[in-house]
Amino acid sequence: MATLRVLFENCAPERIIEFDPKKAPFQHDGRPGSILDILLAHGVHLDHACGGSCACTTCHVIVKNGFEKLSEAQENELDLLDKAPGLTPTSRLGCQAVIEDDAEITVLIPRFTINAA
Amino acid sequence: MTATVQRITYEATIEHIDEIGPETRSFILRLPPTPHFAFRPGQFISCLLPVGGEIIRPYSIASDPEDAPRLEICLNLVPNGPGSHYLFSLAVGATVRFSGPWGTFIVDGAPAAECVFIAEGTGIAPIRPMLRRALAGATHPVRLHYSATSAAHLLYAQELEAAARTHASFTFAPVIDGSLTEDIARRYVSGDSDRARRFYICGVGDIVPRLRDLLRRSGYERRAVQYEKW
C-alpha cells in the first residue's frame, strides 16, 4: 500500500488517499500509477490539458515529501518542467511521476498551472 | 472537487471537413465571438469529447492566429482511438468543446539563427503556422524536413512547395523513404560543425526523442532543440 497526501494552494481541505500501487492503472490518463492516475481515480481534479501524455505542464505538482520515492523524471518531463511557472527543485508532472509501493508522498497542487509561454 | 481555477471552455462549430490524406481529415472550426480565443503558432487545444463520459484529446492548431475566427485541426483515424473515431463521426454543423490554448512549443517570430523544422506525419500540424511565422521576415535559412509514409500522406504538400518557390530562404525536403534520421544526421551532425541552428521537431512516437537525442548529443544546446512528442 502507499499513501498520497494532497495539499491545495487554494486552501481547499487536504486529502489523504491510500491505495495499492500494484493495482494501477486506476483510470486512463497519465502513466499507470502516476500522481495524476491516483488523483483522478479518487475524485481529485488535476488539470491535464494534453490528456496526460507529457506534452504540457498543467499537471505540475510540488512534491513536499517522498520526492525520492517517485519514479525518476525522464528528459521529456524535465524539458517541460523547464517551462513550468512556479518551478521548484521538487516539481514534477503529475502524469509522469509514478508512486512506488510503500511510499508516503505529499504533494501541493499549485493554484495556477497555466503554461502559455 | 476542483483544486485549480476553473478553465474557460469554448464551443466551436465545425464549418468544413476536408480529406487531406489517407484516413486523415482537416476540421475547420468556427469560434464563437466570445469568449475571445487567442493563441501562438505551435500551441494546441484540448478537446473535451463526450465519449464514455468525457475524454480529453489534445490537437495541435494547424492554422494561423490571423485566421480567427476560424481554427483548423487535422488528425488521422487512430485504430481503436476513441477521440479520432468520435471526431470522424461528426458532420459539418456539429459542435466541439475545448479549452486552451496550451503548450510551450512555439515559434512566434523570425528566428535569430538558421531554423530547422522536422515533422513526421500529422506532426506537421503545429509546424505549419510556426513555419509561416518564421518565414515572415526571415533573415536566416529556414528548412523543413517532412517525413510521411507515402507522398499521399504528406499533408499540405502543395502549399509547402509553393512556399519554397516564394521564399528564397526556405527549403522544403519531403521524405517518403524512411530516411529522416539519416538525413538529419548527415546534414546537421556529420555535415558541418555549425551548432548555432535551432530545431523544432514534432511527430508521433519514438522518432521525436530519437532525433532530440541525436542532435543534443552532437553538440546542439538543449534549448536549441525544441520538440513536441505525441
Side-chain angles (χ1 to χ4, degrees):
Chain A
M1 294 296 285
T3 306
L4 177 58
R5 183 173 167 223
V6 192
L7 310 174
F8 301 94
E9 203 172 64
N10 70 355
C11 299
E14 73 171 62
R15 285 282 305 271
I16 294 176
I17 300 166
E18 292 191 354
F19 63 98
D20 182 357
K22 288 192 286 291
K23 291 184 176 168
F26 299 97
Q27 49 77 67
H28 43 70
D29 290 343
R31 290 180 66 193
S34 63
I35 291 169
L36 179 70
D37 185 17
I38 309 302
L39 293 182
L40 295 181
H42 291 84
V44 179
H45 175 82
L46 180 65
D47 273 332
H48 53 296
C50 73
S53 59
C54 199
C56 70
T57 61
T58 55
C59 66
H60 172 213
V61 297
I62 298 164
V63 183
K64 294 292 190 181
N65 185 48
F67 186 76
E68 68 289 348
K69 286 284 190 180
L70 297 169
S71 60
E72 196 175 343
Q74 303 297 305
E75 193 159 354
N76 196 2
E77 180 185 351
L78 295 174
D79 283 335
L80 286 165
L81 281 171
D82 190 37
K83 299 172 179 175
L87 182 69
T88 76
T90 59
S91 287
R92 291 295 306 262
L93 293 183
C95 71
Q96 297 300 300
V98 174
I99 299 175
E100 292 176 6
D101 203 4
D102 297 326
E104 290 186 11
I105 307 290
T106 303
V107 297
L108 173 70
I109 299 183
R111 186 187 300 269
F112 298 108
T113 53
I114 293 170
N115 75 332
Chain B
M1 181 188 296
T2 299
T4 50
V5 289
Q6 203 64 40
R7 297 292 178 213
I8 295 173
T9 58
Y10 302 83
E11 195 163 289
T13 306
I14 299 177
E15 194 174 81
H16 190 74
I17 301 172
D18 244 345
E19 297 277 344
I20 58 169
E23 295 199 316
T24 307
R25 287 183 188 171
S26 144
F27 294 80
I28 308 289
L29 308 178
R30 188 176 181 85
L31 296 162
T34 58
H36 178 67
F37 181 82
F39 70 96
R40 299 170 73 193
Q43 291 192 294
F44 65 88
I45 59 171
S46 182
C47 290
L48 308 164
L49 306 176
V51 180
E54 184 176 89
I55 59 170
I56 297 174
R57 286 293 180 274
Y59 294 105
S60 296
I61 303 170
S63 51
D64 296 334
E66 295 74 22
D67 293 338
R70 291 180 183 82
L71 180 153
E72 179 175 353
I73 57 174
C74 71
L75 55 139
N76 60 322
L77 193 62
V78 179
N80 303 315
S84 62
H85 275 85
Y86 172 77
L87 285 169
F88 271 56
S89 76
L90 298 180
V92 168
T95 57
V96 177
R97 206 160 67 85
F98 65 89
S99 71
W102 304 109
T104 52
F105 181 66
I106 291 168
V107 169
D108 206 1
E114 181 179 338
C115 185
V116 182
F117 293 97
I118 306 173
E120 183 266 338
T122 49
I124 191 66
I127 286 178
R128 186 181 180 219
M130 294 164 94
L131 181 63
R132 285 187 187 154
R133 197 53 64 89
L135 287 174
T139 52
H140 296 273
V142 176
R143 306 184 195 283
L144 169 64
H145 296 262
Y146 180 17
S147 175
T149 49
S150 76
H153 286 85
L154 286 168
L155 312 177
Y156 310 113
Q158 287 184 348
E159 174 187 309
L160 296 167
E161 284 160 4
R165 286 192 296 272
T166 309
H167 297 272
S169 58
F170 176 48
T171 311
F172 174 40
V175 182
I176 53 170
D177 60 1
S179 65
L180 180 64
T181 307
E182 293 74 17
D183 290 354
I184 299 302
R186 188 174 57 248
R187 177 132 200 162
Y188 304 112
V189 176
S190 55
D192 61 30
S193 58
D194 177 6
R195 292 298 180 265
R197 299 181 181 96
R198 311 282 175 83
F199 293 87
Y200 297 89
I201 310 165
C202 187
V204 178
D206 291 341
I207 182 75
V208 177
R210 198 158 63 235
L211 290 168
R212 172 199 67 196
D213 293 346
L214 171 71
L215 293 165
R216 286 183 176 174
R217 286 169 190 169
S218 70
Y220 291 100
E221 283 183 20
R222 188 170 68 89
R223 286 179 178 164
V225 183
Q226 300 283 322
Y227 60 96
E228 191 157 73
K229 173 184 174 288
W230 295 111

